[in-house]
Amino acid sequence: MDLGLSGKVAVVTGGSVGIGRAVARGLAAEGVHLALCARNQERLSGVADEIRQAFGVRVLGVAADVSVAADLERFVEAVGAEYGGADLLINNAGTGSEETILGAPDEKWQHYWELHVMAAVRLSRALAPGMAARGGGVILNNASICASQPLGYEPIYNVTKAALVMFSKCLANELIAQGIRVNALSPGLVMTPDWQKTARLLTEGKEQTWEAYLENIAHENAPIGRFAIPEEIADFAVFLCSPRASYSVGSTYYVDGGWLNVT
Ligand code: NDP
């Protein structure tokens, strides 16, 4: 299926590893030029080189912390200088948390608000007018199944991802008249280096291997009985970015191996 994305420009936050890297590679495979950001410049540059060599597209990699407004301004300026704007925006950068509501200070709530919500607000505000001028575009916000089915140990993550989903819905209503489709994606368990690191830590010196620990989590939670690989999320994301998903507006799409119990 030709996805009709060749020659487009995509901004992907958190594009240096995990789901973001897989989305970047998936878009590049369709001939999309990329602007990636992440905090660690070295890892980002490595991925930018890898994608350029593999797919022959242009890749801009800018070290930026999406929770910092000034970094986002610098990133958007670099995108403007390189490409004159963007057609696709994938707000993907984010991370889990661990706290109790009664124990977490204001600063922690504020940080996750900046990271999961304001980054998407600021990048959408900065890039959407250019998208409209280029004939329309797509904004895809990577939320989480936790936005609607919370995990007990990470209330701040759950709450800020839920806010991101509502932001997507409101933005979709505001931008569809300008030819910009906004949606949210809610993955379930996706095998990334972070999960592996946590599993190694938690099983250190124990009888259970880290692989068995993760297998157990998958069996307990996802009816499919395994984690997704990042590419299984990326394929869906790339489709949603394409004109083949032209009637998909303002929705949240679960890619979760059946984990969601209620809608
Ligand atoms: P990873 O930890 O594997 O990758 C995160 C990416 O985001 C990296 O490129 C990281 O680079 C970047 N990043 C993190 N914080 C910032 C920041 N403040 N500013 C800029 N870049 C940042 O994450 P995943 O691939 O697992 O997750 C990606 C998204 O998917 C997240 O929003 C996550 O909540 C969501 N998700 C993940 C699931 C999973 O099971 N893995 C399930 C559901 C949702 P660097 O560290 O260099 O900044």
Side-chain angles (χ1 to χ4, degrees):
M1 173 161 54
D2 176 17
L3 293 181
L5 282 170
S6 185
K8 299 287 184 194
V9 172
V11 168
V12 184
T13 69
S16 62
V17 70
I19 297 170
R21 172 174 169 268
V23 170
R25 288 180 62 90
L27 289 168
E30 295 298 319
V32 174
H33 305 295
L34 299 169
L36 311 178
C37 81
R39 292 163 302 176
N40 181 324
Q41 176 76 70
E42 201 182 329
R43 188 165 63 174
L44 186 61
S45 298
V47 168
D49 287 345
E50 161 203 305
I51 294 178
R52 258 184 233 112
Q53 278 165 25
F55 303 104
V57 295
R58 292 164 66 189
V59 187
L60 172 70
V62 177
D65 183 335
V66 299
S67 69
V68 176
D71 278 23
L72 289 179
E73 274 173 38
R74 191 167 44 76
F75 181 38
V76 168
E77 268 173 32
V79 172
E82 182 77 15
Y83 298 117
D87 307 288
L88 314 169
L89 165 62
I90 294 91
N91 288 305
N92 165 75
T95 193
S97 64
E98 190 179 354
E99 63 279 317
T100 60
I101 293 173
L102 297 194
D106 285 6
E107 291 72 26
K108 189 166 188 186
W109 283 95
Q110 198 58 50
H111 171 69
Y112 276 84
W113 176 255
E114 299 289 325
L115 175 64
H116 289 152
V117 186
M118 288 313 298
V121 172
R122 290 177 177 130
L123 284 175
S124 302
R125 210 165 48 200
L127 294 171
M131 281 181 193
R134 291 157 78 97
V138 173
I139 298 174
L140 185 59
N141 296 311
N142 192 6
S144 167
I145 190 173
C146 295
S148 43
Q149 188 166 282
L151 281 172
Y153 60 86
E154 52 183 357
I156 296 183
Y157 181 79
N158 303 329
V159 169
T160 51
K161 287 291 188 173
L164 180 62
V165 167
M166 182 52 81
F167 166 69
S168 298
K169 183 69 185 165
C170 297
L171 188 66
N173 290 340
E174 188 169 321
L175 293 184
I176 191 58
Q178 295 168 53
I180 300 171
R181 293 186 299 105
V182 184
N183 287 293
L185 200 58
S186 276
L189 296 166
V190 187
M191 189 57 75
T192 54
D194 227 31
W195 269 108
Q196 294 174 358
K197 194 171 104 193
T198 308
R200 279 198 184 95
L201 278 175
L202 292 176
T203 53
E204 220 167 53
K206 298 201 174 135
E207 207 174 295
Q208 191 185 35
T209 63
W210 66 269
E211 291 95 336
Y213 170 85
L214 289 175
E215 214 174 295
N216 208 29
I217 290 186
H219 277 290
E220 275 175 7
N221 294 296
I224 199 169
R226 64 171 176 84
F227 278 65
I229 57 169
E231 287 71 17
E232 288 177 287
I233 311 303
D235 284 348
F236 205 89
V238 171
F239 170 73
L240 281 178
C241 285
S242 81
R244 303 305 290 255
S246 51
Y247 205 65
S248 299
V249 177
S251 280
T252 299
Y253 297 92
Y254 294 88
V255 186
D256 66 350
W259 189 8
L260 184 71
N261 287 319
V262 289
T263 50

Coordinates of all heavy atoms in Angstrom, one line a residue, residues 13-21 37-41 43-44 62-68 71-72 91-96 111 115-116 142-146 157 161 164 185-195 227-228 230 233 255 259, ligand 1:
T13 N 9.6 13.8 18.5 CA 10.3 14.0 19.8 C 10.7 12.7 20.4 O 9.9 11.7 20.3 CB 9.5 14.9 20.8 OG1 8.4 14.1 21.2 CG2 9.1 16.2 20.1
G14 N 11.8 12.6 21.1 CA 12.2 11.3 21.7 C 12.5 10.3 20.6 O 12.1 9.2 20.7
G15 N 13.2 10.8 19.5 CA 13.4 9.9 18.4 C 14.6 9.1 18.4 O 15.0 8.4 17.4
S16 N 15.3 9.0 19.5 CA 16.6 8.3 19.5 C 16.6 6.9 20.0 O 17.6 6.2 19.8 CB 17.6 9.1 20.4 OG 17.2 9.2 21.7
V17 N 15.5 6.4 20.5 CA 15.5 5.0 21.0 C 14.0 4.6 21.1 O 13.1 5.5 21.1 CB 16.2 4.9 22.3 CG1 15.5 5.6 23.5 CG2 16.6 3.5 22.7
G18 N 13.8 3.3 21.3 CA 12.4 2.9 21.6 C 11.4 3.2 20.5 O 11.7 3.1 19.3
I19 N 10.2 3.5 21.0 CA 9.1 3.8 20.0 C 9.4 4.9 19.1 O 9.2 4.8 17.9 CB 7.8 4.0 20.8 CG1 7.4 2.8 21.7 CG2 6.7 4.4 19.8 CD1 6.3 3.1 22.7
G20 N 10.0 6.0 19.6 CA 10.3 7.2 18.8 C 11.3 6.8 17.6 O 11.1 7.2 16.5
R21 N 12.3 6.0 17.9 CA 13.2 5.6 16.9 C 12.6 4.7 15.9 O 12.8 4.9 14.7 CB 14.4 4.9 17.6 CG 15.4 4.2 16.6 CD 16.6 3.6 17.3 NE 17.4 2.8 16.4 CZ 17.2 1.5 16.2 NH1 16.3 0.9 16.9 NH2 18.0 0.8 15.4
C37 N 14.4 15.1 18.0 CA 15.1 15.7 19.2 C 15.1 14.6 20.4 O 14.2 13.7 20.4 CB 14.4 17.0 19.6 SG 12.9 16.8 20.6
A38 N 16.1 14.8 21.2 CA 16.2 14.0 22.5 C 17.3 14.8 23.3 O 17.9 15.7 22.7 CB 16.6 12.6 22.2
R39 N 17.4 14.4 24.5 CA 18.4 15.2 25.3 C 19.9 14.7 25.0 O 20.8 15.6 25.0 CB 18.1 15.0 26.8 CG 16.8 15.7 27.2 CD 16.3 15.2 28.5 NE 16.1 13.7 28.5 CZ 15.7 13.0 29.5 NH1 15.6 13.5 30.7 NH2 15.6 11.7 29.4
N40 N 20.1 13.4 24.9 CA 21.4 12.9 24.7 C 21.8 13.0 23.2 O 21.4 12.3 22.4 CB 21.4 11.5 25.1 CG 22.8 10.8 25.0 OD1 23.5 11.1 24.1 ND2 23.1 10.0 26.0
Q41 N 22.7 14.0 23.0 CA 23.1 14.3 21.6 C 23.8 13.2 20.9 O 23.6 12.9 19.7 CB 24.0 15.6 21.5 CG 24.6 16.0 20.2 CD 23.5 16.6 19.3 OE1 23.1 17.7 19.5 NE2 23.1 15.9 18.2
R43 N 23.6 9.9 21.4 CA 22.7 8.8 20.9 C 21.9 9.3 19.7 O 21.6 8.5 18.8 CB 21.9 8.3 22.1 CG 21.1 7.1 21.8 CD 20.5 6.5 23.1 NE 19.6 7.3 23.8 CZ 18.9 6.9 24.9 NH1 19.1 5.7 25.3 NH2 18.1 7.7 25.5
L44 N 21.5 10.5 19.8 CA 20.6 11.1 18.7 C 21.4 11.1 17.4 O 20.9 10.8 16.4 CB 20.2 12.5 19.2 CG 19.2 13.2 18.3 CD1 17.9 12.4 18.2 CD2 18.9 14.6 18.8
V62 N 18.5 17.4 16.9 CA 18.7 18.5 17.7 C 18.6 18.1 19.2 O 17.6 17.6 19.6 CB 17.7 19.7 17.5 CG1 18.0 20.9 18.4 CG2 17.8 20.2 16.0
A63 N 19.7 18.3 20.0 CA 19.6 18.0 21.4 C 18.7 19.0 22.1 O 18.9 20.2 22.0 CB 21.0 18.0 22.0
A64 N 17.6 18.5 22.6 CA 16.7 19.5 23.3 C 15.9 18.7 24.3 O 15.5 17.5 24.1 CB 15.7 20.0 22.2
D65 N 15.6 19.4 25.4 CA 14.7 18.8 26.5 C 13.3 19.4 26.2 O 13.1 20.6 26.4 CB 15.3 19.2 27.9 CG 14.5 18.6 29.0 OD1 13.3 18.3 28.8 OD2 15.0 18.5 30.1
V66 N 12.4 18.5 25.9 CA 11.0 19.0 25.5 C 10.3 19.6 26.7 O 9.3 20.3 26.5 CB 10.2 17.9 24.8 CG1 10.8 17.4 23.5 CG2 9.9 16.8 25.8
S67 N 10.8 19.3 27.9 CA 10.1 19.9 29.1 C 10.5 21.4 29.3 O 10.0 22.0 30.2 CB 10.3 19.1 30.3 OG 11.6 19.2 30.7
V68 N 11.4 21.9 28.5 CA 12.0 23.2 28.6 C 11.6 24.1 27.4 O 11.9 23.8 26.3 CB 13.5 23.2 28.7 CG1 14.1 24.6 28.8 CG2 13.9 22.3 30.0
D71 N 14.2 25.3 24.9 CA 14.8 24.2 24.1 C 13.8 24.0 22.9 O 14.3 23.8 21.8 CB 14.9 22.9 24.9 CG 16.2 22.9 25.7 OD1 16.7 24.0 26.0 OD2 16.7 21.8 26.0
L72 N 12.5 24.0 23.2 CA 11.6 23.8 22.1 C 11.6 24.9 21.0 O 11.6 24.6 19.8 CB 10.2 23.6 22.6 CG 9.9 22.3 23.4 CD1 8.5 22.3 23.9 CD2 10.2 21.1 22.6
N91 N 4.4 13.8 18.9 CA 4.8 14.1 20.3 C 5.0 12.8 21.0 O 4.0 12.2 21.4 CB 3.8 15.0 20.9 CG 3.8 16.4 20.4 OD1 4.9 17.0 20.4 ND2 2.7 16.9 19.8
N92 N 6.2 12.3 21.1 CA 6.5 11.0 21.7 C 7.3 11.0 23.0 O 7.1 10.1 23.8 CB 7.2 10.2 20.6 CG 7.8 8.9 21.1 OD1 7.1 7.9 21.4 ND2 9.1 8.9 21.3
A93 N 8.1 12.0 23.1 CA 9.1 11.9 24.3 C 8.2 11.9 25.6 O 7.3 12.6 25.8 CB 10.0 13.2 24.3
G94 N 8.7 11.0 26.5 CA 8.0 10.9 27.8 C 8.6 9.7 28.5 O 9.4 8.9 28.0
T95 N 8.2 9.6 29.8 CA 8.7 8.5 30.6 C 7.8 8.2 31.8 O 7.0 9.1 32.2 CB 10.1 8.9 31.1 OG1 10.7 7.7 31.6 CG2 10.1 9.9 32.2
G96 N 7.9 7.1 32.3 CA 7.1 6.7 33.5 C 7.5 7.4 34.8 O 8.4 8.1 34.8
H111 N 6.8 19.1 36.6 CA 7.8 18.5 35.6 C 7.0 17.6 34.5 O 7.2 17.8 33.3 CB 8.9 17.8 36.2 CG 9.7 17.0 35.2 ND1 10.6 17.7 34.3 CD2 9.8 15.7 34.9 CE1 11.1 16.8 33.5 NE2 10.7 15.6 33.9
L115 N 6.5 18.0 30.6 CA 7.0 16.9 29.7 C 6.0 16.3 28.8 O 6.1 16.2 27.6 CB 7.7 15.8 30.6 CG 8.2 14.6 29.9 CD1 9.3 14.9 28.9 CD2 8.7 13.5 30.9
H116 N 4.8 15.9 29.4 CA 3.8 15.2 28.6 C 2.7 16.1 28.0 O 2.1 15.7 27.0 CB 3.1 14.2 29.6 CG 4.0 13.0 29.9 ND1 3.9 12.3 31.1 CD2 5.1 12.5 29.3 CE1 4.8 11.4 31.2 NE2 5.6 11.5 30.1
N142 N 1.7 10.5 21.4 CA 1.9 9.2 22.0 C 1.5 9.2 23.5 O 2.3 9.7 24.3 CB 3.3 8.7 21.7 CG 3.5 7.2 22.0 OD1 2.5 6.6 22.3 ND2 4.7 6.8 22.0
A143 N 0.3 8.7 23.8 CA -0.1 8.7 25.2 C 0.3 7.4 25.8 O 1.5 7.1 25.9 CB -1.6 9.0 25.3
S144 N -0.7 6.7 26.3 CA -0.4 5.4 26.9 C -1.8 4.8 27.3 O -2.7 5.5 27.6 CB 0.4 5.5 28.2 OG 0.4 4.3 28.9
I145 N -1.8 3.5 27.4 CA -3.0 2.8 27.9 C -3.3 3.3 29.3 O -4.5 3.4 29.8 CB -2.9 1.3 27.9 CG1 -4.2 0.6 28.2 CG2 -1.8 0.8 28.8 CD1 -4.2 -0.9 28.1
C146 N -2.2 3.8 30.0 CA -2.4 4.3 31.4 C -3.2 5.6 31.5 O -3.6 6.0 32.6 CB -1.0 4.5 32.0 SG -0.1 3.0 32.2
Y157 N 2.1 9.9 36.0 CA 2.2 9.5 34.6 C 0.8 9.3 34.1 O 0.4 9.9 33.0 CB 2.9 8.2 34.5 CG 3.1 7.6 33.2 CD1 4.1 8.1 32.3 CD2 2.3 6.6 32.7 CE1 4.2 7.6 31.0 CE2 2.4 6.0 31.5 CZ 3.4 6.5 30.6 OH 3.5 6.0 29.3
K161 N -0.8 11.8 31.1 CA -1.1 11.1 29.8 C -2.6 11.3 29.5 O -3.0 11.4 28.4 CB -0.7 9.6 29.9 CG 0.9 9.4 29.8 CD 1.4 9.8 28.5 CE 2.9 9.5 28.3 NZ 3.5 9.7 27.0
L164 N -3.0 14.6 28.1 CA -2.5 14.6 26.7 C -3.6 14.1 25.8 O -3.8 14.6 24.7 CB -1.2 13.7 26.6 CG -0.6 13.7 25.2 CD1 -0.1 15.0 24.7 CD2 0.6 12.7 25.2
L185 N -2.3 8.0 20.3 CA -2.0 6.6 20.3 C -1.8 6.1 21.7 O -1.1 6.8 22.5 CB -0.7 6.4 19.5 CG -0.4 5.1 18.9 CD1 -1.5 4.6 17.9 CD2 0.9 5.2 18.1
S186 N -2.4 5.0 22.1 CA -2.2 4.5 23.4 C -1.6 3.1 23.4 O -2.4 2.1 23.4 CB -3.5 4.6 24.2 OG -3.7 5.9 24.8
P187 N -0.3 3.0 23.4 CA 0.3 1.6 23.5 C 0.1 1.0 24.8 O -0.1 1.6 25.8 CB 1.8 1.9 23.2 CG 1.9 3.3 22.8 CD 0.7 4.0 23.4
G188 N 0.2 -0.4 24.8 CA 0.3 -1.1 26.0 C 1.7 -1.4 26.4 O 2.5 -0.4 26.6
L189 N 2.1 -2.6 26.5 CA 3.5 -3.0 26.9 C 4.4 -3.0 25.7 O 4.1 -3.9 24.8 CB 3.5 -4.3 27.6 CG 2.7 -4.5 28.9 CD1 2.5 -5.9 29.3 CD2 3.4 -3.7 30.1
V190 N 5.4 -2.2 25.7 CA 6.3 -2.2 24.5 C 7.7 -2.4 25.0 O 8.2 -1.7 25.9 CB 6.2 -0.8 23.8 CG1 7.0 -0.9 22.5 CG2 4.7 -0.5 23.5
M191 N 8.4 -3.4 24.5 CA 9.7 -3.7 24.9 C 10.7 -2.7 24.5 O 11.1 -2.6 23.3 CB 10.1 -5.1 24.4 CG 11.4 -5.7 25.0 SD 11.3 -5.8 26.8 CE 10.2 -7.2 26.9
T192 N 11.2 -1.9 25.5 CA 12.2 -0.9 25.2 C 13.4 -1.1 26.2 O 13.2 -1.8 27.2 CB 11.6 0.5 25.4 OG1 11.1 0.6 26.6 CG2 10.6 0.8 24.3
P193 N 14.5 -0.5 26.0 CA 15.7 -0.7 26.9 C 15.3 -0.4 28.3 O 15.9 -1.0 29.2 CB 16.7 0.2 26.3 CG 16.4 0.4 24.9 CD 14.9 0.3 24.8
D194 N 14.5 0.6 28.5 CA 14.1 1.0 29.8 C 13.4 -0.2 30.6 O 13.7 -0.4 31.8 CB 13.1 2.2 29.7 CG 13.5 3.3 30.7 OD1 14.7 3.4 30.9 OD2 12.5 4.0 31.2
W195 N 12.5 -0.9 30.0 CA 11.9 -2.0 30.6 C 12.9 -3.1 31.0 O 12.9 -3.7 32.1 CB 10.8 -2.7 29.7 CG 9.5 -2.1 29.8 CD1 8.8 -1.3 28.9 CD2 8.5 -2.4 30.8 NE1 7.5 -1.1 29.3 CE2 7.3 -1.7 30.5 CE3 8.5 -3.1 32.0 CZ2 6.2 -1.7 31.3 CZ3 7.4 -3.1 32.8 CH2 6.2 -2.4 32.5
F227 N 5.1 -8.7 25.2 CA 5.3 -7.3 24.9 C 5.2 -7.1 23.4 O 5.5 -8.0 22.6 CB 6.7 -6.8 25.4 CG 6.8 -6.5 26.8 CD1 6.6 -7.5 27.8 CD2 7.0 -5.2 27.3 CE1 6.7 -7.2 29.2 CE2 7.2 -4.9 28.6 CZ 7.0 -5.9 29.6
A228 N 4.9 -5.9 23.0 CA 5.0 -5.5 21.6 C 6.5 -5.2 21.4 O 7.2 -4.8 22.3 CB 4.2 -4.3 21.3
P230 N 8.8 -2.3 19.4 CA 8.5 -0.9 19.0 C 7.9 -0.8 17.6 O 7.1 0.1 17.3 CB 9.8 -0.2 19.1 CG 10.5 -1.0 20.2 CD 10.1 -2.4 20.0
I233 N 4.2 -0.7 17.1 CA 3.5 0.6 17.4 C 3.8 1.5 16.3 O 2.9 2.2 15.8 CB 4.1 1.2 18.7 CG1 4.1 0.2 19.9 CG2 3.3 2.4 19.1 CD1 2.7 -0.5 20.2
V255 N -3.1 0.3 21.0 CA -2.3 -0.8 20.4 C -1.7 -1.6 21.6 O -0.6 -1.2 22.1 CB -1.2 -0.3 19.5 CG1 -0.5 -1.4 18.8 CG2 -1.8 0.7 18.5
W259 N -5.0 -5.5 26.3 CA -4.9 -5.2 27.7 C -6.1 -4.3 28.2 O -6.6 -4.5 29.4 CB -3.6 -4.5 28.0 CG -3.2 -4.3 29.4 CD1 -3.8 -4.7 30.5 CD2 -2.1 -3.5 29.9 NE1 -3.1 -4.3 31.7 CE2 -2.1 -3.6 31.3 CE3 -1.1 -2.7 29.3 CZ2 -1.1 -2.9 32.1 CZ3 -0.1 -2.1 30.0 CH2 -0.1 -2.2 31.4
Ligands
NDP1 P1 12.3 5.3 25.8 O1 12.7 5.6 27.2 O2 12.8 4.0 25.2 O3 12.7 6.5 24.9 C1 12.3 7.8 25.3 C2 12.8 8.8 24.2 O4 12.4 10.1 24.6 C3 14.3 8.8 24.1 O5 14.7 9.2 22.8 C4 14.7 9.9 25.1 O6 16.0 10.4 24.8 C5 13.6 10.9 24.8 N1 13.3 11.8 26.0 C6 12.9 11.4 27.2 N2 12.7 12.5 28.0 C7 12.9 13.6 27.2 C8 12.9 15.0 27.3 N3 12.6 15.5 28.5 N4 13.2 15.8 26.3 C9 13.5 15.2 25.1 N5 13.5 13.9 24.9 C10 13.3 13.1 25.9 O7 10.7 5.4 25.8 P2 9.6 4.5 25.1 O8 10.0 4.4 23.6 O9 9.3 3.4 25.9 O10 8.4 5.5 25.2 C11 8.1 6.5 24.3 C12 6.8 7.1 24.6 O11 5.8 6.0 24.6 C13 6.7 7.7 26.0 O12 5.9 8.9 25.9 C14 6.0 6.7 26.8 O13 5.3 7.2 27.9 C15 5.1 6.0 25.8 N6 4.7 4.7 26.1 C16 5.6 3.7 26.3 C17 5.2 2.4 26.6 C18 6.2 1.3 26.8 O14 5.8 0.2 27.3 N7 7.4 1.4 26.5 C19 3.8 2.1 26.8 C20 2.9 3.2 26.6 C21 3.3 4.4 26.3 P3 16.9 11.1 25.9 O15 16.9 10.3 27.1 O16 18.2 11.3 25.2 O17 16.2 12.5 26.1

